[in-house]
Amino acid sequence: MYFNIQRFSTHDGDGIRSILFLKGCTLACSWCQNPESRSEKRSLLFDPSLCLSGCSACLEVSSAITRDHTDAVIINRPAVNELYLDRLKTVCPTKALSVCGEQAHTDLLCEQLLKDKPFYIQSDGGVTFSGGEPLMQAELVRDIAQRMHQEGINTAVETCMHVPWKNIESVLPYIDCWLTDLKHTDAQKFKLWAKGSLSRIKNNFQRLAKQAKRLVIRVPVVPGFNDTRAELQEIVDFAVSLESCSELHLLPYHTLGSNKYNLLDIKYLCSDKPLNNPELLADAQLYAQNHPLSRKQFTVKIRG
Amino acid sequence: MNLNYLAKRIRDHKEQLINIITPPVCTERALAYTRVYQENEDKPVVVRRALALQEHLRSRTIWIKHDELIIGNQAGKVRAAPIFPEYTVRWLGAEIDELADRPGAGFAVSAEDKENIHKLIPYWSGKTVQDRCYGLFTDEQQELLASTIIKAEGNMTSGDAHLAVDNEKILDIGLDGLIDEVRGHRCRIDLADFEDLKREQFLKSVEIVLLAVQEHIVRYADLADKMALQEKRPERLQELQTIASNCRFIAFNKPESFWQALQLCYFVQLILQIESNGHSVSFGRMDQYLHSYYEQDVKQTKKISESFALELLQSCWLKLLEVNKIRSGAHSKASAGSPLYQNVTIGGQKLDKNGRASDAVNSFSWAILESCGQLRSTQPNLSVRYHQGLNQEFLMGCIDVIKCGFGMPAFNNDEIVIPEFIKLGVEKNDAYNYSAIGCIETAVPGKWGYRCTGMSFINFARILLASLDGGRDATSGKVFLAGDRSLAKGNFENFEQVMQAWSEQIRYYTRKSVEIDCVVDSVLEQQAQDIFCSSLVDDCLSRGKTAKEGGAKYDWVSGLQVGIANLGNSLAAVKHLVFQEAQISQPQLAQALADNYSGSEGELLRQRLLNYAPKYGNDDDSVDQLISQAYNVYINELANFHNTRFGRGPIGGKYYAGTSSISANVPFGSATMATPDGRKARTPLAEGASPASGSDRLGPTAVYNSVAKMPVNKILGGVLLNQKLTPAAVESEQDMLKLSMLIRTFFNFHKGWHVQYNIVSRETLLAARENPELYRDLVVRVAGYSAFFTALSPDAQDDIIARTEHKL
């Protein structure tokens, strides 16, 4: 299942790229800016600002949707089944109501991704797999990445590393650049904020570092979670200890996806303010550059 | 390049010019021409025109102001627009008293000028180009023009222009040399021969005009000398003396210094725009023909400094900004902002003696680029010729200038223009020397007749509506060519019949547009010869013919087709929603169009058309190919026609398609009822070959892929693509590099014709927040990534707006 192909992406990997966003994630980070990607099933998004009063197109195909006395659309989400989702896909004239998630077909996706091949080739760009957690669908990623390699196109994956090692291993030969998340080095805090196992991630890192063609570590710097000197320094320590890791990107927390929580009718629990602490990031950058284990080619970028 | 510097004199001059909101008009030319025409009724029109220009150049007010370094004024007052009564007085009589209140293109007309204009109208009525055109038009042609489905107002109310003359030649031989050449041709005239008698009238006129131009330049020398006597500031005194001696020299001789060469080019540009008010008078490849002067004075002898050379250029650019043109109220809407489109082209390729091509970028290309980047004015319209081997550093320099946010330079692509020109029959040397003319259209400077684009305009969207309604024009209710089928009757049996109806209608209108051009061209040929202009276009002198009589070496023209994306999107909506999926019935769509999608039912249907039918600009074959298919009917039909010079000398003499429809998409839209793409009545049509506003949602690569599917190699009048970017999208060196890669791919691989970038302002972002449906293609740099502006939450949008404001 995938939910978007974003063309002309210029900030996730080298050159001009297309990003294939796959659906479903093994973590549940509270700061996630792509909440529609978490479920591995289709999701229903509703934007009341686009809804036309007097329209009953969605009500006619699904009893899970009603209008209340103020004419506002009420969605009984637990009652929205697969049949309703099929019907709702093309029913809303303004797309106030939209279904996020499409069945993935390797051939069709490759065809879409290859449309920008000339741009990838000219700019040393390529295709990036993202999500959700793309390696939950390792077979699909492997098939597409293999095809891209046959076409001479560079591939990258954005992963949280919270997947079985065999998934990583199966795509390894076909991925040129690993954009991997390391969110924290404390297992308990990680568990609390991201609902996952840090030891699984660390183990994967140790094994991946030996084999990845290019390894970039990306750190979302989130207020209250890891925005202290000590926490960032520990992350840097871990990153420089990995032989093949050449780059570290510090990504300051932003809230640009928070409106999507409203569309999904779920509460947003993380801070409503973006991180505004350039000194902290600069400090971490400096720490990494002067790190005793740091190698010549090791670079630290803010915002990636 | 230092783009954040502007010399004080240039800054002050620019400041003064841009603060003239309602410029005056100037009646000096109109009075002189009227006087001379009246006194010389017995003479051939061409001679009369030579004498009129001579008299005007002798008697008109000349001035030197603003401490300018390049001199020469078009009108009596700064930025005043001269009146050209021989083309039209119709709209003048009706509109002259209310000109000041006209939105956006107002003029302040003094009581004296009003009186002058009213006085000369009776003489010209019935004699102007426009009146004589109407004397020739059939009733049907007149009705078509009145309907505005076809528009040719600009063609009969002003001169032609849309060309670049042979500046290289005038620099090479000087005015004396040119006069010698004319005299040489006159020696060989046989007055016992009918054709030669006609040729002699033209050549005689050229000689009168060239001598008058020399005299005129001497007048400027005298003025500068006189001003020098009064001048107290030693530096300015010296400048005035140099200006005077330069003028005295270049009035006769070929220039020897950079300053002289630039001044001579400007005088040529000026006289062209005094002789005729045709716009898009372009300089051609200035970086090539002025390079040796620049190199000699700035780099070798260091006679002048680099920064002074930039001031000279900028002084010239400000003189271009002073040139003004007054258009009728209706016509000014199609040319929003009174543009003159005086193009300067840089970059591209050059050929060596063995015919091998190499990158033509030189030190002077950089100087021109820098001068424009510093000045940030609307003139000149700067174009860069792109080719695969274009120096990457230069391309990045262009992006630096684009970042300044004034939409320049635009790019044209050698990789398509040169091979397609050669296929047409243009000689290799000439094809490699092409330049942009006006906006995006291209021709060979000094060898190509008028209007490589700029013939009549056709409203594709209205013709589609007629195709869907038995030939009835939705705006006027008139039927010009009746058809059997209509949506209202529901008697289209399948979509092929819709395409058939389009074919029948568009072929009819194509023929009519050429018929109208034929009338206009024949009247212009007889009534409004451009003498000075023709003297600088090969092979007018040797053939003894004006450009309009077939004097030019090459002569292809193109009209402008407006509403291309609306045509394709409408066809796609009808095909998918009415015929393939049968979601909407034919009468239902007809009714919704007639009602302009009113009521909630209408709006629901409109939303469905907007959201569930494919749109051009998203790399979707199902609509992109429909555009090609529909456009090709026009292109193939057009191939059956000639222009009035066919078989009379030039190579070509034919038409090709063109999409450089300036701002005509706005007035054409306001005359177009609701269309099946979900567009409401009277709102703008899509501009050029760009996607309809807000309909391209997949970013620039998808847009390029869509545009490239058009039959670009047959639209040699230009395939115009505008793209919007926020300032933050080209913020870092890395972003700029990626933009350069985008441009390279579009041109190398997709063989795109043209692209230009608008770095959008805070105002646009605010408007985008208010009307997101119109700004869907707006890409903004958010943080470490880019996003579509309208896809962000309102708060995030506010954030971006605030940041942009901070930056600008």
Side-chain angles (χ1 to χ4, degrees):
Chain A
M1 174 100 22
Y2 76 103
F3 68 99
N4 192 16
I5 291 179
Q6 188 183 311
R7 296 164 73 167
F8 192 60
S9 297
T10 55
H11 301 105
D12 293 286
D14 296 336
I16 295 168
R17 311 187 76 84
S18 291
I19 307 184
L20 173 61
F21 288 95
L22 299 179
K23 232 166 127 31
C25 189
T26 50
L27 294 177
C29 308
S30 63
W31 60 84
C32 179
Q33 295 299 308
N34 280 336
E36 78 278 27
S37 73
R38 274 191 209 166
S39 162
E40 76 276 12
K41 293 190 183 141
R42 291 185 289 181
S43 316
L44 187 64
L45 278 75
F46 177 62
D47 183 350
S49 71
L50 292 176
C51 182
L52 292 177
S53 68
C55 173
S56 57
C58 56
L59 280 61
E60 282 161 20
V61 301
S62 167
S63 61
I65 304 178
T66 50
R67 280 192 190 266
D68 70 5
H69 64 283
T70 65
D71 208 33
V73 166
I74 306 295
I75 305 172
N76 177 13
R77 286 183 179 268
V80 177
N81 56 30
E82 290 296 308
L83 177 69
Y84 285 163
L85 286 174
D86 281 340
R87 290 177 180 166
L88 289 169
K89 244 168 82 171
T90 55
V91 83
C92 178
T94 63
K95 296 201 171 169
L97 203 61
S98 60
V99 176
C100 166
E102 288 273 346
Q103 202 53 51
H105 298 286
T106 309
D107 288 346
L108 291 177
L109 286 173
C110 286
E111 192 186 314
Q112 290 295 314
L113 292 166
L114 286 172
K115 282 185 160 190
D116 279 350
K117 179 177 173 183
F119 294 95
Y120 310 148
I121 302 295
Q122 179 77 52
S123 67
D124 293 326
V127 166
T128 302
F129 300 92
S130 183
E133 171 46 57
L135 296 184
M136 276 181 69
Q137 301 178 58
E139 211 173 318
L140 180 71
V141 171
R142 190 198 59 210
D143 290 349
I144 296 175
Q146 194 174 3
R147 286 270 281 281
M148 292 303 131
H149 269 191
Q150 282 162 5
E151 296 277 344
I153 293 170
N154 175 287
T155 57
V157 65
E158 268 190 300
T159 170
C160 69
M161 301 288 280
H162 193 258
V163 292
W165 169 250
K166 66 175 173 31
N167 292 22
I168 295 177
E169 194 175 28
S170 72
V171 305
L172 248 170
Y174 310 109
I175 298 296
D176 300 307
C177 176
W178 290 80
L179 302 163
T180 56
D181 276 14
L182 181 64
K183 304 170 206 285
H184 214 287
T185 51
D186 179 87
Q188 273 185 331
K189 205 160 179 185
F190 183 75
K191 174 111 193 141
L192 188 69
W193 282 70
K195 313 283 182 281
S197 152
L198 185 64
S199 63
R200 182 187 200 181
I201 291 174
K202 281 185 166 173
N203 286 336
N204 282 337
F205 262 117
Q206 298 298 352
R207 299 172 78 169
L208 179 65
K210 295 195 183 74
Q211 300 177 58
K213 288 185 204 159
R214 182 172 162 206
L215 180 59
V216 178
I217 291 188
R218 313 222 287 181
V219 186
V221 184
V222 181
F225 171 58
N226 59 6
D227 65 336
T228 65
R229 280 179 82 167
E231 282 164 309
L232 289 183
Q233 287 181 1
E234 279 181 38
I235 291 172
V236 171
D237 289 341
F238 183 83
V240 294
S241 76
L242 298 172
E243 269 170 59
S244 63
C245 175
S246 56
E247 274 175 63
L248 182 75
H249 297 171
L250 299 170
L251 311 173
Y253 169 77
H254 64 80
T255 56
L256 296 162
S258 61
N259 190 45
K260 292 186 199 161
Y261 284 79
N262 296 330
L263 306 186
L264 288 160
D265 204 12
I266 47 182
K267 277 216 165 64
Y268 186 54
L269 298 169
C270 211
S271 163
D272 58 358
K273 298 230 175 0
L275 182 87
N276 182 16
N277 194 345
E279 300 82 23
L280 175 75
L281 301 178
D283 183 81
Q285 199 172 23
L286 196 68
Y287 175 77
Q289 277 154 8
N290 298 329
H291 200 282
L293 291 177
S294 185
R295 293 165 302 277
K296 263 187 204 154
Q297 287 86 9
F298 193 82
T299 55
V300 180
K301 287 189 195 162
I302 292 169
R303 292 200 156 87
Chain B
M1 290 195 299
N2 175 7
L3 297 177
N4 293 313
Y5 171 81
L6 200 57
K8 185 174 182 305
R9 96 166 82 210
I10 302 296
R11 210 167 52 226
D12 293 347
H13 189 176
K14 179 185 173 192
E15 202 60 29
Q16 294 212 25
L17 295 184
I18 61 179
N19 283 310
I20 301 173
I21 309 296
T22 48
V25 301
C26 174
T27 53
E28 285 186 8
R29 183 188 179 282
L31 293 172
Y33 268 61
T34 309
R35 202 164 60 236
V36 176
Y37 263 61
Q38 284 171 337
E39 287 164 4
N40 294 281
E41 299 270 359
D42 57 333
K43 302 200 175 58
V45 183
V46 67
V47 176
R48 224 183 291 164
R49 288 183 67 71
L51 293 171
L53 183 56
Q54 178 192 53
E55 167 60 18
H56 179 47
L57 293 178
R58 280 179 181 164
S59 59
R60 72 192 197 95
T61 309
I62 60 168
W63 44 257
I64 299 169
K65 292 181 180 169
H66 310 115
D67 287 348
E68 59 203 10
L69 298 168
I70 298 295
I71 61 164
N73 53 299
Q74 187 202 23
K77 297 195 179 98
V78 179
R79 265 192 71 66
I83 304 289
F84 292 72
E86 69 269 37
Y87 297 102
T88 178
V89 289
R90 244 185 223 205
W91 73 267
L92 273 176
E95 295 181 31
I96 197 73
D97 297 320
E98 273 90 43
L99 276 175
D101 304 324
R102 208 162 74 173
F107 283 86
V109 189
S110 71
E112 189 194 344
D113 284 332
K114 276 184 196 170
E115 204 192 315
N116 284 339
I117 290 166
H118 283 300
K119 252 196 294 194
L120 56 83
I121 287 174
Y123 170 76
W124 289 103
S125 290
K127 295 192 188 70
T128 63
V129 170
Q130 189 181 28
D131 289 344
R132 288 177 198 265
C133 286
Y134 276 85
L136 261 179
F137 285 137
T138 63
D139 290 348
E140 183 193 32
Q141 289 164 351
Q142 295 203 25
E143 277 185 50
L144 279 165
L145 287 167
S147 78
T148 70
I149 299 174
I150 300 176
K151 204 166 180 299
E153 190 190 344
N155 306 57
M156 38 183 155
T157 57
S158 65
D160 278 302
H162 291 82
L163 88 172
V165 299
D166 201 344
N167 281 328
E168 218 170 318
K169 177 173 174 182
I170 197 84
L171 292 171
D172 218 30
I173 63 176
L175 278 161
D176 270 354
L178 195 58
I179 291 169
D180 284 346
E181 193 182 320
V182 176
R183 288 179 177 155
H185 290 301
R186 290 188 73 187
C187 284
R188 288 187 287 276
I189 288 286
D190 173 4
L191 285 176
D193 180 84
F194 169 73
E195 288 297 332
D196 265 16
L197 175 61
K198 213 171 150 199
R199 286 188 193 106
E200 166 60 10
Q201 304 314 306
F202 166 63
L203 292 170
K204 180 167 90 182
S205 303
V206 172
E207 193 170 330
I208 294 170
V209 165
L210 293 178
L211 289 168
V213 169
Q214 291 191 318
E215 238 183 87
H216 197 57
I217 297 175
V218 172
R219 277 186 73 197
Y220 277 103
D222 293 343
L223 175 64
D225 272 337
K226 213 172 100 190
M227 287 173 69
L229 292 176
Q230 317 282 324
E231 183 59 55
K232 300 278 183 292
R233 298 165 297 171
E235 269 182 41
R236 183 60 186 163
L237 173 74
Q238 209 182 4
E239 284 171 7
L240 285 166
Q241 285 169 342
T242 309
I243 288 169
S245 66
N246 281 348
C247 288
R248 246 177 254 294
F249 190 76
I250 58 171
F252 308 99
N253 305 298
K254 59 179 197 172
E256 289 178 345
S257 70
F258 174 67
W259 195 344
Q260 287 175 356
L262 184 63
Q263 179 67 66
L264 183 58
C265 291
Y266 181 70
F267 275 133
V268 169
Q269 178 77 5
L270 179 71
I271 308 293
L272 289 171
Q273 295 183 90
I274 289 172
E275 177 175 50
S276 154
N277 62 344
H279 60 237
S280 299
V281 179
S282 299
F283 281 95
R285 304 180 71 191
M286 191 188 254
D287 65 337
Q288 302 305 303
Y289 61 73
L290 285 184
H291 176 238
S292 61
Y293 300 91
Y294 177 82
E295 191 67 24
Q296 164 206 293
D297 286 5
V298 178
K299 302 283 178 188
Q300 287 166 14
T301 66
K302 300 198 193 311
K303 207 165 85 182
I304 56 172
S305 68
E306 263 177 61
S307 65
F308 189 74
L310 289 187
E311 273 186 63
L312 284 171
L313 278 173
Q314 286 158 345
S315 191
C316 180
W317 305 153
L318 288 171
K319 297 308 288 180
L320 300 181
L321 190 58
E322 286 174 4
V323 177
N324 209 343
K325 174 166 178 169
I326 187 163
R327 298 166 169 96
S328 73
H331 191 206
S332 65
K333 284 182 193 155
S335 316
S338 300
L340 270 299
Y341 319 99
Q342 300 165 88
N343 189 292
V344 167
T345 300
I346 57 176
Q349 297 166 85
K350 58 183 179 197
L351 291 177
D352 66 14
K353 281 180 199 134
N354 303 317
R356 271 191 304 256
S358 62
D359 189 18
V361 169
N362 58 41
S363 58
F364 191 50
S365 320
W366 279 99
I368 291 176
L369 184 65
E370 184 171 13
S371 70
C372 291
Q374 290 180 344
L375 188 62
R376 302 176 197 182
S377 166
T378 60
Q379 303 293 324
N381 201 7
L382 183 65
S383 295
V384 169
R385 269 179 51 179
Y386 173 87
H387 61 102
Q388 289 208 20
L390 184 72
N391 180 302
Q392 175 67 14
E393 204 189 329
F394 189 70
L395 181 54
M396 293 302 282
C398 293
I399 294 173
D400 267 324
V401 174
I402 288 170
K403 269 178 84 168
C404 299
F406 63 111
M408 287 183 225
F411 295 99
N412 276 97
N413 186 10
D414 283 12
E415 306 299 338
I416 180 131
V417 177
I418 293 173
E420 292 305 326
F421 270 9
I422 291 173
K423 272 189 225 161
L424 271 184
V426 176
E427 288 169 17
K428 186 179 172 189
N429 273 321
D430 289 338
Y432 271 86
N433 199 36
Y434 85 90
S435 79
I437 303 294
C439 309
I440 68 158
E441 56 274 29
T442 55
V444 181
K447 295 185 175 173
W448 201 294
Y450 306 113
R451 294 189 189 270
C452 54
T453 204
M455 299 303 288
S456 52
F457 288 63
I458 302 187
N459 187 333
F460 269 13
R462 266 173 86 178
I463 296 170
L464 176 71
L465 287 179
S467 314
L468 296 174
D469 195 13
R472 183 181 153 277
D473 171 41
T475 313
S476 64
K478 289 205 170 103
V479 177
F480 289 99
L481 177 72
D484 303 331
R485 299 173 201 278
S486 77
L487 290 176
K489 288 188 199 147
N491 60 354
F492 284 108
E493 284 161 30
N494 49 48
F495 182 71
E496 284 63 45
Q497 291 186 348
V498 173
M499 289 304 283
Q500 187 56 38
W502 160 257
S503 294
E504 283 161 19
Q505 292 291 326
I506 193 60
R507 287 168 58 203
Y508 164 80
Y509 283 99
T510 305
R511 166 174 280 282
K512 293 299 145 188
S513 74
V514 176
E515 284 181 5
I516 287 167
D517 288 345
C518 188
V519 167
V520 176
D521 274 353
S522 70
V523 174
L524 281 166
E525 176 178 336
Q526 288 158 25
Q527 300 297 327
Q529 299 87 345
D530 296 328
I531 301 152
F532 183 62
C533 179
S534 297
S535 76
L536 286 168
V537 174
D538 281 1
D539 302 314
C540 289
L541 292 180
S542 59
R543 289 185 196 152
K545 282 178 167 185
T546 64
K548 206 71 180 183
E549 291 171 317
K553 181 172 180 185
Y554 303 108
D555 200 327
W556 279 273
V557 296
S558 73
L560 292 312
Q561 297 87 54
V562 187
I564 290 155
N566 306 95
L567 165 70
N569 292 345
S570 294
L571 284 170
V574 171
K575 183 176 181 180
H576 287 259
L577 297 176
V578 176
F579 288 98
Q580 283 181 344
E581 294 178 13
Q583 288 190 31
I584 299 169
S585 75
Q586 293 181 44
Q588 204 185 350
L589 178 57
Q591 193 59 48
L593 293 173
D595 296 344
N596 191 21
Y597 300 115
S598 63
S600 57
E601 279 300 306
E603 181 58 18
L604 285 175
L605 190 125
R606 190 176 86 91
Q607 289 293 337
R608 191 152 283 285
L609 292 165
L610 282 174
N611 291 312
Y612 291 93
K615 300 280 181 283
Y616 168 69
N618 295 294
D619 197 6
D620 183 335
D621 287 353
S622 65
V623 52
D624 297 344
Q625 280 168 5
L626 271 182
I627 290 206
S628 281
Q629 199 187 331
Y631 205 163
N632 269 323
V633 181
Y634 169 80
I635 289 169
N636 294 335
E637 182 64 12
L638 199 61
N640 297 324
F641 298 99
H642 304 146
N643 65 39
T644 56
R645 281 80 67 199
F646 182 78
R648 299 170 71 189
I651 298 171
K654 302 204 62 154
Y655 276 86
Y656 42 60
T659 69
S660 172
S661 54
I662 45 176
S663 64
N665 63 309
V666 179
F668 272 47
S670 73
T672 307
M673 307 313 282
T675 42
D677 53 354
R679 177 194 146 277
K680 286 194 153 188
R682 310 212 178 273
T683 60
L685 297 171
E687 53 91 32
S690 307
S693 273
S695 68
D696 51 322
R697 300 177 177 205
L698 298 180
T701 58
V703 172
Y704 293 149
N705 288 1
S706 277
V707 174
K709 285 179 230 171
M710 293 245 259
V712 178
N713 61 345
K714 293 179 195 150
I715 312 174
L716 300 179
V719 180
L720 184 151
L721 177 61
N722 260 315
Q723 295 221 300
K724 296 188 214 101
L725 297 172
T726 64
V730 284
E731 193 172 66
S732 72
E733 193 72 20
Q734 209 197 2
D735 297 329
M736 289 166 61
L737 190 65
K738 287 182 183 178
L739 180 60
S740 79
M741 294 303 164
L742 199 62
I743 294 168
R744 282 192 184 277
T745 314
F746 180 48
F747 285 149
N748 294 354
F749 181 82
H750 288 306
K751 308 290 182 221
W753 178 274
H754 154 275
V755 67
Q756 65 195 23
Y757 295 92
N758 291 310
I759 308 295
V760 291
S761 63
R762 172 186 155 78
E763 284 69 30
T764 309
L765 293 174
L766 287 172
R769 195 179 54 175
E770 291 306 309
N771 299 296
E773 69 278 9
L774 300 178
Y775 293 90
R776 296 285 181 214
D777 55 337
L778 184 61
V779 177
V780 293
R781 175 86 190 264
V782 181
Y785 68 102
S786 295
F788 286 100
F789 182 77
T790 57
L792 297 170
S793 71
D795 294 346
Q797 290 181 341
D798 282 352
D799 180 25
I800 306 279
I801 290 168
R803 251 191 275 169
T804 309
E805 187 189 20
H806 196 69
K807 269 183 56 71
L808 287 176

